[in-house]
Structures are given as C-alpha cells and as structure tokens.
Amino acid sequence: MSEHSTQFEAAGGGLVLRGAILLYRSEGPRNFSSYGAHRGDAAAFASMHTVEHDEEGGPTIAAGVPLSRAHLRQWTEALGRTVRPELLPENILVAHPDMLVWWVPEQVRPAYFNLSTRLAGLQVLTERTVVPVPYPAHLFIATRSRLGVYALPVNERPTADTRVLHSPILNVFVNGSLCWGNIPTPRALAISSIPQFERAVFDSWSTHPNPGQEFTISGKGGLVRLWDDLAARRAKRFPIKRLKPFGAGARQGRRSSTEPITLGRIIGGAK
C-alpha cells in the first residue's frame, strides 16, 4: 500500500485509519472515472476490511468480509458524530446527509419563457422573453438522485400534514421531478447549494409543458395560457385554486389517487 496519512486532527483528538471499504463494479470504459455516475444495472459488490499497522505504523489492508447494513449503520453513526453543528435557516425543513428539504414563500420574480410552440392568441409569451410573474409558495426536496418541486396550498411553513400541490413551473414533470436538461447540477447536497437548486428551477428557460402537465391545473386555457395571462396582467398573486393536489393530475392510463399526498408522505418515500 502506498504511503498514506493515518493521523487526522479532530475535535476529540487524533483519528487513526482503522478500516477500508473496497468497491467492485463490472468493468466500464477504460477512461471512465470511478467517482462518476454509473449505470444502475451494473453488477456491484463491496467488502469491509480491517487495517493493520506494522511496527513503524504503516497501514496494510487485511482480508475483508462482505459489506453489511450493520457496517454502514455503525460508520454512519460514527461519522455523524464528527459533523460540525450548523445553524439552520428558518426555511429549512429537513437537513440530512441524504436529503435536503426547504420551502420558499410566494413572490413575484422574473420568469424565462422561450416557447417551442407559439399558441394562437398569446399576449406576452409570443417570443423569447423575461417577464415578472407571481409564483405560489414552493416546496423543494433534494436527494442524491432527484430534485422534487411542489407547490404549497398556503403561504406559510408547511408541516408533515400539509397536502402538497402540483407545481405550475413548466420544467417540472408530473411526478414532481425537475427536468434538468443541460442545467448544471449542484455537486453537494448541502444548505450552501440551495441557491444553485433554486436558480435551476426559477432562472432556467421554459420551453413547453412536460407530458401530462396540462392536467395538473383546473379551468380553461391550459398552463401556458395561464402564465401568459398572469404576465399580461402583471398579476401579483398566483391563483392557487387552479392547482390540483399532487397526484391528482396524472391521467396517463392510471387512476388518480384519492389519498391525500402530504409532505410527510413524500419525505417518507423519497429516494
């Protein structure tokens, strides 16, 4: 094993290299980074090894055993004790190594429209434009695999029992996931990354509704005409009553769920 520092400074004293996790995956392209994204169907294996030290303190990886959930729990708990305390802003609902949840109040902000199909009768969105429009209060749930974007029924901090609504933002799929397209994704799932997540949602160009998104609002005219009307009137408030409860808008061959989908339910099922 090559030279490696085995001592680290920490609040409770020095840390010593005690174990190693080796990750195995079916071979990919030779120039493929081992730290990058992998195909979800690639075979994988992980082993847990103790690290032995010689008389001079040099480390050697010893024989290992298959990595278990018990190993992961043990080290997750230990690592959690070394995380520095952090003051959370008032808009943060969940701050976890694998999940970040926050909300933003309703507000008027610039929206970026560049529709791929120009509908007849539009007043403002007839060309590429940036125009102020009112947004309802929004909920964001960021995990290591997706960013969930939802609207809130009232302009206040939500609770676990708050029923969420479909977001009217055009870059959001019916399942709540943001369509990233060529938008750079934040590298860290951290509070400091929140501005990057929000810029991806609010400061990206909207070109068209995603499949099924027209069914997520009620009333006549559709989603694009709704945004056009709000922009033309210089509206200050979004008509929340036109947003359907999340889960009630998808009509793609499935029956809509009648069970309310709450913030607590979404967090419990987030991956």
Side-chain angles (χ1 to χ4, degrees):
M1 183 175 180
S2 60
E3 292 187 10
H4 191 285
S5 175
T6 61
Q7 297 285 338
F8 301 89
E9 291 300 319
L15 300 178
V16 180
L17 182 60
R18 294 298 188 188
I21 297 175
L22 299 185
L23 304 176
Y24 304 81
R25 187 179 291 271
S26 55
E27 187 175 6
R30 292 185 179 274
N31 61 351
F32 192 80
S33 169
S34 61
Y35 300 101
H38 295 277
R39 301 194 333 268
D41 59 350
F45 177 77
S47 56
M48 184 73 190
H49 302 254
T50 58
V51 173
E52 299 175 348
H53 300 266
D54 58 26
E55 295 180 356
E56 297 180 354
T60 301
I61 295 178
V65 296
L67 183 67
S68 67
R69 292 182 181 274
H71 291 135
L72 293 175
R73 284 195 297 271
Q74 175 188 1
W75 283 99
T76 298
E77 292 174 0
L79 291 170
R81 288 192 289 271
T82 66
V83 176
R84 294 182 178 180
E86 184 176 14
L87 289 175
L88 300 181
E90 293 183 358
N91 65 321
I92 303 298
L93 304 173
V94 176
H96 183 273
D98 294 320
M99 180 186 297
L100 186 63
V101 183
W102 72 100
W103 79 288
V104 296
E106 64 180 15
Q107 59 186 291
V108 175
R109 62 169 79 224
Y112 299 74
F113 292 99
N114 186 21
L115 300 179
S116 55
T117 301
R118 313 292 192 201
L119 301 179
L122 294 181
Q123 305 172 73
V124 177
L125 308 186
T126 56
E127 57 185 4
R128 180 184 175 102
T129 185
V130 180
V131 59
V133 294
Y135 284 88
H138 264 75
L139 169 75
F140 300 94
I141 301 179
T143 67
R144 299 195 181 278
S145 61
R146 69 191 292 265
L147 173 64
V149 183
Y150 314 88
L152 294 171
V154 292
N155 189 39
E156 62 185 31
R157 180 185 175 93
T159 67
D161 296 326
T162 299
R163 186 170 186 174
V164 299
L165 310 173
H166 280 283
S167 171
I169 297 174
L170 297 186
N171 284 349
V172 178
F173 288 109
V174 172
N175 67 358
S177 295
L178 177 68
C179 176
W180 285 94
N182 60 358
I183 305 171
T185 57
R187 293 187 176 183
L189 191 62
I191 293 175
S192 59
S193 298
I194 285 180
Q196 293 175 269
F197 282 114
E198 292 187 4
R199 283 195 295 270
V201 175
F202 296 118
D203 296 348
S204 58
W205 290 96
S206 295
T207 58
H208 62 277
N210 282 304
Q213 205 174 8
E214 291 289 1
F215 299 115
T216 63
I217 64 169
S218 60
K220 297 181 180 180
L223 192 54
V224 170
R225 295 186 188 281
L226 172 59
W227 282 118
D228 184 66
D229 176 67
L230 294 174
R233 293 191 292 106
R234 299 283 176 169
K236 301 300 182 182
R237 298 288 299 276
F238 189 93
I240 299 294
K241 292 183 178 180
R242 294 200 59 180
L243 297 179
K244 292 184 179 180
F246 182 71
R251 295 184 182 178
Q252 300 172 333
R254 299 181 180 179
R255 296 182 60 185
S256 298
S257 172
T258 57
E259 182 179 355
I261 298 181
T262 62
L263 169 57
R265 183 179 171 188
I266 291 180
I267 290 177
K271 296 182 180 179

mmCIF file with all atom_site columns, all heavy atoms in Angstrom, residues 60-85:
data_model
loop_
_atom_site.group_PDB
_atom_site.id
_atom_site.type_symbol
_atom_site.label_atom_id
_atom_site.label_alt_id
_atom_site.label_comp_id
_atom_site.label_asym_id
_atom_site.label_entity_id
_atom_site.label_seq_id
_atom_site.pdbx_PDB_ins_code
_atom_site.Cartn_x
_atom_site.Cartn_y
_atom_site.Cartn_z
_atom_site.occupancy
_atom_site.B_iso_or_equiv
_atom_site.pdbx_formal_charge
_atom_site.auth_seq_id
_atom_site.auth_comp_id
_atom_site.auth_asym_id
_atom_site.auth_atom_id
_atom_site.pdbx_PDB_model_num
ATOM 1   N N   . THR A 1 60 ? -1.764  -1.561  6.350  1.00 0.00 ? 60 THR A N   1
ATOM 2   C CA  . THR A 1 60 ? -1.970  -2.593  5.344  1.00 0.00 ? 60 THR A CA  1
ATOM 3   C C   . THR A 1 60 ? -3.414  -3.048  5.406  1.00 0.00 ? 60 THR A C   1
ATOM 4   O O   . THR A 1 60 ? -3.939  -3.315  6.503  1.00 0.00 ? 60 THR A O   1
ATOM 5   C CB  . THR A 1 60 ? -1.060  -3.810  5.592  1.00 0.00 ? 60 THR A CB  1
ATOM 6   O OG1 . THR A 1 60 ? 0.304   -3.396  5.559  1.00 0.00 ? 60 THR A OG1 1
ATOM 7   C CG2 . THR A 1 60 ? -1.288  -4.885  4.519  1.00 0.00 ? 60 THR A CG2 1
ATOM 8   N N   . ILE A 1 61 ? -4.066  -3.117  4.270  1.00 0.00 ? 61 ILE A N   1
ATOM 9   C CA  . ILE A 1 61 ? -5.448  -3.581  4.228  1.00 0.00 ? 61 ILE A CA  1
ATOM 10  C C   . ILE A 1 61 ? -5.461  -5.095  4.380  1.00 0.00 ? 61 ILE A C   1
ATOM 11  O O   . ILE A 1 61 ? -4.848  -5.820  3.594  1.00 0.00 ? 61 ILE A O   1
ATOM 12  C CB  . ILE A 1 61 ? -6.128  -3.177  2.903  1.00 0.00 ? 61 ILE A CB  1
ATOM 13  C CG1 . ILE A 1 61 ? -6.228  -1.648  2.814  1.00 0.00 ? 61 ILE A CG1 1
ATOM 14  C CG2 . ILE A 1 61 ? -7.521  -3.789  2.800  1.00 0.00 ? 61 ILE A CG2 1
ATOM 15  C CD1 . ILE A 1 61 ? -6.843  -1.147  1.536  1.00 0.00 ? 61 ILE A CD1 1
ATOM 16  N N   . ALA A 1 62 ? -6.162  -5.573  5.400  1.00 0.00 ? 62 ALA A N   1
ATOM 17  C CA  . ALA A 1 62 ? -6.233  -7.005  5.675  1.00 0.00 ? 62 ALA A CA  1
ATOM 18  C C   . ALA A 1 62 ? -7.399  -7.628  4.913  1.00 0.00 ? 62 ALA A C   1
ATOM 19  O O   . ALA A 1 62 ? -8.140  -6.945  4.198  1.00 0.00 ? 62 ALA A O   1
ATOM 20  C CB  . ALA A 1 62 ? -6.377  -7.234  7.177  1.00 0.00 ? 62 ALA A CB  1
ATOM 21  N N   . ALA A 1 63 ? -7.553  -8.930  5.086  1.00 0.00 ? 63 ALA A N   1
ATOM 22  C CA  . ALA A 1 63 ? -8.654  -9.640  4.444  1.00 0.00 ? 63 ALA A CA  1
ATOM 23  C C   . ALA A 1 63 ? -9.983  -9.049  4.904  1.00 0.00 ? 63 ALA A C   1
ATOM 24  O O   . ALA A 1 63 ? -10.104 -8.538  6.028  1.00 0.00 ? 63 ALA A O   1
ATOM 25  C CB  . ALA A 1 63 ? -8.585  -11.123 4.772  1.00 0.00 ? 63 ALA A CB  1
ATOM 26  N N   . GLY A 1 64 ? -10.971 -9.120  4.040  1.00 0.00 ? 64 GLY A N   1
ATOM 27  C CA  . GLY A 1 64 ? -12.243 -8.484  4.351  1.00 0.00 ? 64 GLY A CA  1
ATOM 28  C C   . GLY A 1 64 ? -13.420 -9.428  4.336  1.00 0.00 ? 64 GLY A C   1
ATOM 29  O O   . GLY A 1 64 ? -13.283 -10.630 4.075  1.00 0.00 ? 64 GLY A O   1
ATOM 30  N N   . VAL A 1 65 ? -14.581 -8.853  4.627  1.00 0.00 ? 65 VAL A N   1
ATOM 31  C CA  . VAL A 1 65 ? -15.849 -9.584  4.606  1.00 0.00 ? 65 VAL A CA  1
ATOM 32  C C   . VAL A 1 65 ? -16.840 -8.757  3.806  1.00 0.00 ? 65 VAL A C   1
ATOM 33  O O   . VAL A 1 65 ? -16.652 -7.547  3.626  1.00 0.00 ? 65 VAL A O   1
ATOM 34  C CB  . VAL A 1 65 ? -16.382 -9.825  6.035  1.00 0.00 ? 65 VAL A CB  1
ATOM 35  C CG1 . VAL A 1 65 ? -15.434 -10.710 6.835  1.00 0.00 ? 65 VAL A CG1 1
ATOM 36  C CG2 . VAL A 1 65 ? -16.598 -8.489  6.753  1.00 0.00 ? 65 VAL A CG2 1
ATOM 37  N N   . PRO A 1 66 ? -17.907 -9.373  3.293  1.00 0.00 ? 66 PRO A N   1
ATOM 38  C CA  . PRO A 1 66 ? -18.910 -8.593  2.554  1.00 0.00 ? 66 PRO A CA  1
ATOM 39  C C   . PRO A 1 66 ? -19.457 -7.452  3.402  1.00 0.00 ? 66 PRO A C   1
ATOM 40  O O   . PRO A 1 66 ? -19.735 -7.614  4.593  1.00 0.00 ? 66 PRO A O   1
ATOM 41  C CB  . PRO A 1 66 ? -19.994 -9.625  2.234  1.00 0.00 ? 66 PRO A CB  1
ATOM 42  C CG  . PRO A 1 66 ? -19.263 -10.933 2.222  1.00 0.00 ? 66 PRO A CG  1
ATOM 43  C CD  . PRO A 1 66 ? -18.217 -10.816 3.300  1.00 0.00 ? 66 PRO A CD  1
ATOM 44  N N   . LEU A 1 67 ? -19.587 -6.288  2.795  1.00 0.00 ? 67 LEU A N   1
ATOM 45  C CA  . LEU A 1 67 ? -20.120 -5.128  3.498  1.00 0.00 ? 67 LEU A CA  1
ATOM 46  C C   . LEU A 1 67 ? -21.585 -5.366  3.844  1.00 0.00 ? 67 LEU A C   1
ATOM 47  O O   . LEU A 1 67 ? -22.381 -5.779  2.997  1.00 0.00 ? 67 LEU A O   1
ATOM 48  C CB  . LEU A 1 67 ? -19.992 -3.884  2.613  1.00 0.00 ? 67 LEU A CB  1
ATOM 49  C CG  . LEU A 1 67 ? -20.433 -2.555  3.218  1.00 0.00 ? 67 LEU A CG  1
ATOM 50  C CD1 . LEU A 1 67 ? -19.510 -2.148  4.359  1.00 0.00 ? 67 LEU A CD1 1
ATOM 51  C CD2 . LEU A 1 67 ? -20.458 -1.472  2.152  1.00 0.00 ? 67 LEU A CD2 1
ATOM 52  N N   . SER A 1 68 ? -21.950 -5.106  5.081  1.00 0.00 ? 68 SER A N   1
ATOM 53  C CA  . SER A 1 68 ? -23.326 -5.335  5.542  1.00 0.00 ? 68 SER A CA  1
ATOM 54  C C   . SER A 1 68 ? -23.981 -4.027  5.946  1.00 0.00 ? 68 SER A C   1
ATOM 55  O O   . SER A 1 68 ? -23.313 -2.999  6.125  1.00 0.00 ? 68 SER A O   1
ATOM 56  C CB  . SER A 1 68 ? -23.324 -6.290  6.736  1.00 0.00 ? 68 SER A CB  1
ATOM 57  O OG  . SER A 1 68 ? -22.712 -5.663  7.867  1.00 0.00 ? 68 SER A OG  1
ATOM 58  N N   . ARG A 1 69 ? -25.285 -4.068  6.120  1.00 0.00 ? 69 ARG A N   1
ATOM 59  C CA  . ARG A 1 69 ? -26.008 -2.887  6.590  1.00 0.00 ? 69 ARG A CA  1
ATOM 60  C C   . ARG A 1 69 ? -25.556 -2.507  8.002  1.00 0.00 ? 69 ARG A C   1
ATOM 61  O O   . ARG A 1 69 ? -25.543 -1.334  8.361  1.00 0.00 ? 69 ARG A O   1
ATOM 62  C CB  . ARG A 1 69 ? -27.514 -3.149  6.572  1.00 0.00 ? 69 ARG A CB  1
ATOM 63  C CG  . ARG A 1 69 ? -28.097 -3.289  5.170  1.00 0.00 ? 69 ARG A CG  1
ATOM 64  C CD  . ARG A 1 69 ? -29.612 -3.490  5.220  1.00 0.00 ? 69 ARG A CD  1
ATOM 65  N NE  . ARG A 1 69 ? -30.172 -3.658  3.895  1.00 0.00 ? 69 ARG A NE  1
ATOM 66  C CZ  . ARG A 1 69 ? -30.539 -2.671  3.101  1.00 0.00 ? 69 ARG A CZ  1
ATOM 67  N NH1 . ARG A 1 69 ? -30.398 -1.414  3.516  1.00 0.00 ? 69 ARG A NH1 1
ATOM 68  N NH2 . ARG A 1 69 ? -31.033 -2.904  1.900  1.00 0.00 ? 69 ARG A NH2 1
ATOM 69  N N   . ALA A 1 70 ? -25.180 -3.514  8.794  1.00 0.00 ? 70 ALA A N   1
ATOM 70  C CA  . ALA A 1 70 ? -24.698 -3.228  10.151 1.00 0.00 ? 70 ALA A CA  1
ATOM 71  C C   . ALA A 1 70 ? -23.423 -2.400  10.099 1.00 0.00 ? 70 ALA A C   1
ATOM 72  O O   . ALA A 1 70 ? -23.243 -1.458  10.884 1.00 0.00 ? 70 ALA A O   1
ATOM 73  C CB  . ALA A 1 70 ? -24.455 -4.532  10.908 1.00 0.00 ? 70 ALA A CB  1
ATOM 74  N N   . HIS A 1 71 ? -22.514 -2.744  9.158  1.00 0.00 ? 71 HIS A N   1
ATOM 75  C CA  . HIS A 1 71 ? -21.302 -1.927  8.987  1.00 0.00 ? 71 HIS A CA  1
ATOM 76  C C   . HIS A 1 71 ? -21.664 -0.489  8.649  1.00 0.00 ? 71 HIS A C   1
ATOM 77  O O   . HIS A 1 71 ? -21.104 0.464   9.207  1.00 0.00 ? 71 HIS A O   1
ATOM 78  C CB  . HIS A 1 71 ? -20.439 -2.507  7.856  1.00 0.00 ? 71 HIS A CB  1
ATOM 79  C CG  . HIS A 1 71 ? -19.811 -3.829  8.175  1.00 0.00 ? 71 HIS A CG  1
ATOM 80  N ND1 . HIS A 1 71 ? -19.804 -4.882  7.283  1.00 0.00 ? 71 HIS A ND1 1
ATOM 81  C CD2 . HIS A 1 71 ? -19.184 -4.272  9.279  1.00 0.00 ? 71 HIS A CD2 1
ATOM 82  C CE1 . HIS A 1 71 ? -19.180 -5.910  7.822  1.00 0.00 ? 71 HIS A CE1 1
ATOM 83  N NE2 . HIS A 1 71 ? -18.792 -5.570  9.038  1.00 0.00 ? 71 HIS A NE2 1
ATOM 84  N N   . LEU A 1 72 ? -22.581 -0.329  7.705  1.00 0.00 ? 72 LEU A N   1
ATOM 85  C CA  . LEU A 1 72 ? -22.958 1.014   7.263  1.00 0.00 ? 72 LEU A CA  1
ATOM 86  C C   . LEU A 1 72 ? -23.573 1.819   8.400  1.00 0.00 ? 72 LEU A C   1
ATOM 87  O O   . LEU A 1 72 ? -23.273 3.000   8.572  1.00 0.00 ? 72 LEU A O   1
ATOM 88  C CB  . LEU A 1 72 ? -23.927 0.917   6.082  1.00 0.00 ? 72 LEU A CB  1
ATOM 89  C CG  . LEU A 1 72 ? -23.352 0.339   4.784  1.00 0.00 ? 72 LEU A CG  1
ATOM 90  C CD1 . LEU A 1 72 ? -24.451 0.180   3.742  1.00 0.00 ? 72 LEU A CD1 1
ATOM 91  C CD2 . LEU A 1 72 ? -22.238 1.232   4.249  1.00 0.00 ? 72 LEU A CD2 1
ATOM 92  N N   . ARG A 1 73 ? -24.449 1.164   9.192  1.00 0.00 ? 73 ARG A N   1
ATOM 93  C CA  . ARG A 1 73 ? -25.059 1.872   10.317 1.00 0.00 ? 73 ARG A CA  1
ATOM 94  C C   . ARG A 1 73 ? -24.006 2.307   11.321 1.00 0.00 ? 73 ARG A C   1
ATOM 95  O O   . ARG A 1 73 ? -24.022 3.429   11.833 1.00 0.00 ? 73 ARG A O   1
ATOM 96  C CB  . ARG A 1 73 ? -26.112 0.985   10.987 1.00 0.00 ? 73 ARG A CB  1
ATOM 97  C CG  . ARG A 1 73 ? -27.421 0.864   10.211 1.00 0.00 ? 73 ARG A CG  1
ATOM 98  C CD  . ARG A 1 73 ? -28.505 0.282   11.092 1.00 0.00 ? 73 ARG A CD  1
ATOM 99  N NE  . ARG A 1 73 ? -28.184 -1.074  11.520 1.00 0.00 ? 73 ARG A NE  1
ATOM 100 C CZ  . ARG A 1 73 ? -28.512 -2.173  10.855 1.00 0.00 ? 73 ARG A CZ  1
ATOM 101 N NH1 . ARG A 1 73 ? -29.192 -2.064  9.720  1.00 0.00 ? 73 ARG A NH1 1
ATOM 102 N NH2 . ARG A 1 73 ? -28.192 -3.365  11.305 1.00 0.00 ? 73 ARG A NH2 1
ATOM 103 N N   . GLN A 1 74 ? -23.064 1.399   11.617 1.00 0.00 ? 74 GLN A N   1
ATOM 104 C CA  . GLN A 1 74 ? -22.023 1.700   12.595 1.00 0.00 ? 74 GLN A CA  1
ATOM 105 C C   . GLN A 1 74 ? -21.192 2.900   12.172 1.00 0.00 ? 74 GLN A C   1
ATOM 106 O O   . GLN A 1 74 ? -20.974 3.830   12.958 1.00 0.00 ? 74 GLN A O   1
ATOM 107 C CB  . GLN A 1 74 ? -21.123 0.478   12.765 1.00 0.00 ? 74 GLN A CB  1
ATOM 108 C CG  . GLN A 1 74 ? -19.926 0.725   13.675 1.00 0.00 ? 74 GLN A CG  1
ATOM 109 C CD  . GLN A 1 74 ? -18.949 -0.439  13.668 1.00 0.00 ? 74 GLN A CD  1
ATOM 110 O OE1 . GLN A 1 74 ? -19.144 -1.425  12.969 1.00 0.00 ? 74 GLN A OE1 1
ATOM 111 N NE2 . GLN A 1 74 ? -17.891 -0.313  14.443 1.00 0.00 ? 74 GLN A NE2 1
ATOM 112 N N   . TRP A 1 75 ? -20.758 2.925   10.912 1.00 0.00 ? 75 TRP A N   1
ATOM 113 C CA  . TRP A 1 75 ? -19.907 4.009   10.455 1.00 0.00 ? 75 TRP A CA  1
ATOM 114 C C   . TRP A 1 75 ? -20.689 5.288   10.193 1.00 0.00 ? 75 TRP A C   1
ATOM 115 O O   . TRP A 1 75 ? -20.167 6.394   10.379 1.00 0.00 ? 75 TRP A O   1
ATOM 116 C CB  . TRP A 1 75 ? -19.133 3.569   9.206  1.00 0.00 ? 75 TRP A CB  1
ATOM 117 C CG  . TRP A 1 75 ? -17.996 2.672   9.580  1.00 0.00 ? 75 TRP A CG  1
ATOM 118 C CD1 . TRP A 1 75 ? -17.955 1.312   9.532  1.00 0.00 ? 75 TRP A CD1 1
ATOM 119 C CD2 . TRP A 1 75 ? -16.738 3.077   10.115 1.00 0.00 ? 75 TRP A CD2 1
ATOM 120 N NE1 . TRP A 1 75 ? -16.757 0.834   9.988  1.00 0.00 ? 75 TRP A NE1 1
ATOM 121 C CE2 . TRP A 1 75 ? -15.981 1.895   10.349 1.00 0.00 ? 75 TRP A CE2 1
ATOM 122 C CE3 . TRP A 1 75 ? -16.167 4.311   10.409 1.00 0.00 ? 75 TRP A CE3 1
ATOM 123 C CZ2 . TRP A 1 75 ? -14.696 1.942   10.877 1.00 0.00 ? 75 TRP A CZ2 1
ATOM 124 C CZ3 . TRP A 1 75 ? -14.881 4.348   10.932 1.00 0.00 ? 75 TRP A CZ3 1
ATOM 125 C CH2 . TRP A 1 75 ? -14.150 3.170   11.158 1.00 0.00 ? 75 TRP A CH2 1
ATOM 126 N N   . THR A 1 76 ? -21.953 5.164   9.786  1.00 0.00 ? 76 THR A N   1
ATOM 127 C CA  . THR A 1 76 ? -22.778 6.362   9.602  1.00 0.00 ? 76 THR A CA  1
ATOM 128 C C   . THR A 1 76 ? -22.969 7.089   10.928 1.00 0.00 ? 76 THR A C   1
ATOM 129 O O   . THR A 1 76 ? -22.878 8.320   11.007 1.00 0.00 ? 76 THR A O   1
ATOM 130 C CB  . THR A 1 76 ? -24.143 5.989   9.006  1.00 0.00 ? 76 THR A CB  1
ATOM 131 O OG1 . THR A 1 76 ? -23.950 5.397   7.720  1.00 0.00 ? 76 THR A OG1 1
ATOM 132 C CG2 . THR A 1 76 ? -25.023 7.216   8.861  1.00 0.00 ? 76 THR A CG2 1
ATOM 133 N N   . GLU A 1 77 ? -23.224 6.306   11.984 1.00 0.00 ? 77 GLU A N   1
ATOM 134 C CA  . GLU A 1 77 ? -23.382 6.917   13.303 1.00 0.00 ? 77 GLU A CA  1
ATOM 135 C C   . GLU A 1 77 ? -22.084 7.572   13.757 1.00 0.00 ? 77 GLU A C   1
ATOM 136 O O   . GLU A 1 77 ? -22.074 8.678   14.312 1.00 0.00 ? 77 GLU A O   1
ATOM 137 C CB  . GLU A 1 77 ? -23.828 5.859   14.310 1.00 0.00 ? 77 GLU A CB  1
ATOM 138 C CG  . GLU A 1 77 ? -25.243 5.333   14.067 1.00 0.00 ? 77 GLU A CG  1
ATOM 139 C CD  . GLU A 1 77 ? -25.592 4.183   14.997 1.00 0.00 ? 77 GLU A CD  1
ATOM 140 O OE1 . GLU A 1 77 ? -24.726 3.801   15.818 1.00 0.00 ? 77 GLU A OE1 1
ATOM 141 O OE2 . GLU A 1 77 ? -26.724 3.672   14.895 1.00 0.00 ? 77 GLU A OE2 1
ATOM 142 N N   . ALA A 1 78 ? -20.949 6.891   13.538 1.00 0.00 ? 78 ALA A N   1
ATOM 143 C CA  . ALA A 1 78 ? -19.660 7.454   13.943 1.00 0.00 ? 78 ALA A CA  1
ATOM 144 C C   . ALA A 1 78 ? -19.342 8.721   13.169 1.00 0.00 ? 78 ALA A C   1
ATOM 145 O O   . ALA A 1 78 ? -18.875 9.716   13.733 1.00 0.00 ? 78 ALA A O   1
ATOM 146 C CB  . ALA A 1 78 ? -18.556 6.411   13.740 1.00 0.00 ? 78 ALA A CB  1
ATOM 147 N N   . LEU A 1 79 ? -19.593 8.698   11.851 1.00 0.00 ? 79 LEU A N   1
ATOM 148 C CA  . LEU A 1 79 ? -19.323 9.878   11.036 1.00 0.00 ? 79 LEU A CA  1
ATOM 149 C C   . LEU A 1 79 ? -20.228 11.037  11.425 1.00 0.00 ? 79 LEU A C   1
ATOM 150 O O   . LEU A 1 79 ? -19.831 12.201  11.395 1.00 0.00 ? 79 LEU A O   1
ATOM 151 C CB  . LEU A 1 79 ? -19.500 9.541   9.551  1.00 0.00 ? 79 LEU A CB  1
ATOM 152 C CG  . LEU A 1 79 ? -18.448 8.601   8.953  1.00 0.00 ? 79 LEU A CG  1
ATOM 153 C CD1 . LEU A 1 79 ? -18.877 8.151   7.565  1.00 0.00 ? 79 LEU A CD1 1
ATOM 154 C CD2 . LEU A 1 79 ? -17.097 9.287   8.897  1.00 0.00 ? 79 LEU A CD2 1
ATOM 155 N N   . GLY A 1 80 ? -21.468 10.714  11.784 1.00 0.00 ? 80 GLY A N   1
ATOM 156 C CA  . GLY A 1 80 ? -22.409 11.754  12.176 1.00 0.00 ? 80 GLY A CA  1
ATOM 157 C C   . GLY A 1 80 ? -21.955 12.512  13.403 1.00 0.00 ? 80 GLY A C   1
ATOM 158 O O   . GLY A 1 80 ? -22.235 13.702  13.558 1.00 0.00 ? 80 GLY A O   1
ATOM 159 N N   . ARG A 1 81 ? -21.197 11.830  14.281 1.00 0.00 ? 81 ARG A N   1
ATOM 160 C CA  . ARG A 1 81 ? -20.726 12.496  15.491 1.00 0.00 ? 81 ARG A CA  1
ATOM 161 C C   . ARG A 1 81 ? -19.595 13.477  15.221 1.00 0.00 ? 81 ARG A C   1
ATOM 162 O O   . ARG A 1 81 ? -19.254 14.297  16.065 1.00 0.00 ? 81 ARG A O   1
ATOM 163 C CB  . ARG A 1 81 ? -20.276 11.441  16.517 1.00 0.00 ? 81 ARG A CB  1
ATOM 164 C CG  . ARG A 1 81 ? -21.433 10.670  17.142 1.00 0.00 ? 81 ARG A CG  1
ATOM 165 C CD  . ARG A 1 81 ? -20.959 9.860   18.337 1.00 0.00 ? 81 ARG A CD  1
ATOM 166 N NE  . ARG A 1 81 ? -20.127 8.732   17.940 1.00 0.00 ? 81 ARG A NE  1
ATOM 167 C CZ  . ARG A 1 81 ? -20.608 7.524   17.646 1.00 0.00 ? 81 ARG A CZ  1
ATOM 168 N NH1 . ARG A 1 81 ? -21.911 7.305   17.700 1.00 0.00 ? 81 ARG A NH1 1
ATOM 169 N NH2 . ARG A 1 81 ? -19.796 6.549   17.316 1.00 0.00 ? 81 ARG A NH2 1
ATOM 170 N N   . THR A 1 82 ? -18.977 13.388  14.036 1.00 0.00 ? 82 THR A N   1
ATOM 171 C CA  . THR A 1 82 ? -17.894 14.306  13.701 1.00 0.00 ? 82 THR A CA  1
ATOM 172 C C   . THR A 1 82 ? -18.370 15.499  12.876 1.00 0.00 ? 82 THR A C   1
ATOM 173 O O   . THR A 1 82 ? -17.585 16.379  12.562 1.00 0.00 ? 82 THR A O   1
ATOM 174 C CB  . THR A 1 82 ? -16.789 13.566  12.906 1.00 0.00 ? 82 THR A CB  1
ATOM 175 O OG1 . THR A 1 82 ? -17.313 13.151  11.641 1.00 0.00 ? 82 THR A OG1 1
ATOM 176 C CG2 . THR A 1 82 ? -16.277 12.371  13.680 1.00 0.00 ? 82 THR A CG2 1
ATOM 177 N N   . VAL A 1 83 ? -19.644 15.508  12.493 1.00 0.00 ? 83 VAL A N   1
ATOM 178 C CA  . VAL A 1 83 ? -20.177 16.618  11.710 1.00 0.00 ? 83 VAL A CA  1
ATOM 179 C C   . VAL A 1 83 ? -20.342 17.841  12.601 1.00 0.00 ? 83 VAL A C   1
ATOM 180 O O   . VAL A 1 83 ? -20.900 17.759  13.697 1.00 0.00 ? 83 VAL A O   1
ATOM 181 C CB  . VAL A 1 83 ? -21.535 16.240  11.083 1.00 0.00 ? 83 VAL A CB  1
ATOM 182 C CG1 . VAL A 1 83 ? -22.138 17.431  10.357 1.00 0.00 ? 83 VAL A CG1 1
ATOM 183 C CG2 . VAL A 1 83 ? -21.358 15.063  10.135 1.00 0.00 ? 83 VAL A CG2 1
ATOM 184 N N   . ARG A 1 84 ? -19.857 18.975  12.148 1.00 0.00 ? 84 ARG A N   1
ATOM 185 C CA  . ARG A 1 84 ? -19.965 20.185  12.942 1.00 0.00 ? 84 ARG A CA  1
ATOM 186 C C   . ARG A 1 84 ? -21.410 20.661  13.021 1.00 0.00 ? 84 ARG A C   1
ATOM 187 O O   . ARG A 1 84 ? -22.137 20.608  12.033 1.00 0.00 ? 84 ARG A O   1
ATOM 188 C CB  . ARG A 1 84 ? -19.096 21.280  12.328 1.00 0.00 ? 84 ARG A CB  1
ATOM 189 C CG  . ARG A 1 84 ? -17.599 20.995  12.383 1.00 0.00 ? 84 ARG A CG  1
ATOM 190 C CD  . ARG A 1 84 ? -16.810 22.149  11.810 1.00 0.00 ? 84 ARG A CD  1
ATOM 191 N NE  . ARG A 1 84 ? -15.369 21.914  11.887 1.00 0.00 ? 84 ARG A NE  1
ATOM 192 C CZ  . ARG A 1 84 ? -14.444 22.761  11.462 1.00 0.00 ? 84 ARG A CZ  1
ATOM 193 N NH1 . ARG A 1 84 ? -14.827 23.912  10.904 1.00 0.00 ? 84 ARG A NH1 1
ATOM 194 N NH2 . ARG A 1 84 ? -13.160 22.475  11.577 1.00 0.00 ? 84 ARG A NH2 1
ATOM 195 N N   . PRO A 1 85 ? -21.839 21.144  14.192 1.00 0.00 ? 85 PRO A N   1
ATOM 196 C CA  . PRO A 1 85 ? -23.189 21.703  14.303 1.00 0.00 ? 85 PRO A CA  1
ATOM 197 C C   . PRO A 1 85 ? -23.370 22.865  13.342 1.00 0.00 ? 85 PRO A C   1
ATOM 198 O O   . PRO A 1 85 ? -22.434 23.617  13.076 1.00 0.00 ? 85 PRO A O   1
ATOM 199 C CB  . PRO A 1 85 ? -23.262 22.157  15.767 1.00 0.00 ? 85 PRO A CB  1
ATOM 200 C CG  . PRO A 1 85 ? -22.203 21.355  16.472 1.00 0.00 ? 85 PRO A CG  1
ATOM 201 C CD  . PRO A 1 85 ? -21.106 21.159  15.464 1.00 0.00 ? 85 PRO A CD  1
#
